[in-house]
Amino acid sequence: MQYSLRLMPMLRSSLLTLILLFSLNITLSADMKSSIVVIDLDHIITNSHVNQDIILQSDVLLQTNQQEMLEREKELKIMEEALIAKKGVIDNQLFEKEVMSFHRLAHDAQQEFQNRKTKLDQTIMSARTQIYDVISSIVAKLAKKRNFI
């Protein structure tokens, strides 16, 4: 999924940081029994109930947006056909005005749906980042509680 691909660098760097912290702890406390723990944060996040809920909600919103876009395209196609039928029937200047107006409507509709998709993508990324932050915090607390750091 494209969202998990965007998070991969963040997850890799965090995993690397955790491994480095644990190995630093091992070096600093050589007299203590040392352990290295590797945590697959991507697996935890991907399989979390919250993430599954985000995926379901985003799929519903994407489908709704696509359906609305298809309906709007049908409306614009009908308007375009009506405009084509007017060519040669109405004054040329009036026809050009109507063509310009139609192009503005089509452009505005396209812009609206692009903005919706961008906003949805940003919301999903924000939610996944919050999940990542919470899980990282929990892992750090557990590591500290068990004397890994």
Side-chain angles (χ1 to χ4, degrees):
M1 182 172 195
Q2 68 177 337
Y3 304 114
S4 62
L5 291 177
R6 291 182 193 166
L7 279 178
M8 289 303 289
M10 186 182 354
L11 292 174
R12 282 192 195 125
S13 65
S14 297
L15 187 58
L16 204 74
T17 303
L18 285 173
I19 291 172
L20 289 173
L21 284 173
F22 293 142
S23 59
L24 179 62
N25 185 39
I26 291 169
T27 306
L28 294 175
S29 57
D31 58 322
M32 295 175 57
K33 182 181 175 187
S34 302
S35 300
I36 294 178
V37 177
V38 177
I39 301 169
D40 187 353
L41 290 176
D42 186 44
H43 178 76
I44 293 169
I45 291 170
T46 301
N47 294 307
S48 70
H49 293 293
V50 174
N51 187 59
Q52 297 301 321
D53 190 43
I54 289 170
I55 291 170
L56 288 174
Q57 288 181 28
S58 65
D59 285 347
V60 168
L61 288 173
L62 277 172
Q63 288 174 357
T64 302
N65 281 344
Q66 287 175 342
Q67 186 62 35
E68 288 176 11
M69 186 176 71
L70 289 173
E71 289 172 12
R72 185 68 177 145
E73 283 178 355
K74 287 179 186 176
E75 291 171 6
L76 289 170
K77 186 70 176 167
I78 292 169
M79 290 173 70
E80 180 183 35
E81 289 170 356
L83 188 60
I84 290 171
K86 289 181 181 180
K87 187 175 184 175
V89 175
I90 63 172
D91 179 57
N92 218 14
Q93 282 185 322
L94 182 59
F95 178 75
E96 290 300 321
K97 277 185 173 180
E98 288 189 22
V99 167
M100 294 285 284
S101 178
F102 173 77
H103 285 291
R104 271 194 301 276
L105 281 174
H107 175 73
D108 291 348
Q110 181 182 22
Q111 198 70 34
E112 177 187 349
F113 288 110
Q114 285 176 347
N115 289 342
R116 283 186 190 182
K117 180 158 180 7
T118 300
K119 186 176 179 182
L120 180 60
D121 288 345
Q122 290 170 346
T123 303
I124 291 167
M125 284 307 298
S126 174
R128 288 185 60 93
T129 300
Q130 289 175 3
I131 295 170
Y132 171 81
D133 291 345
V134 168
I135 290 175
S136 295
S137 172
I138 292 169
V139 168
K141 286 177 185 176
L142 284 173
K144 188 173 183 177
K145 182 178 178 180
R146 296 196 179 162
N147 296 321
F148 288 123
I149 54 174

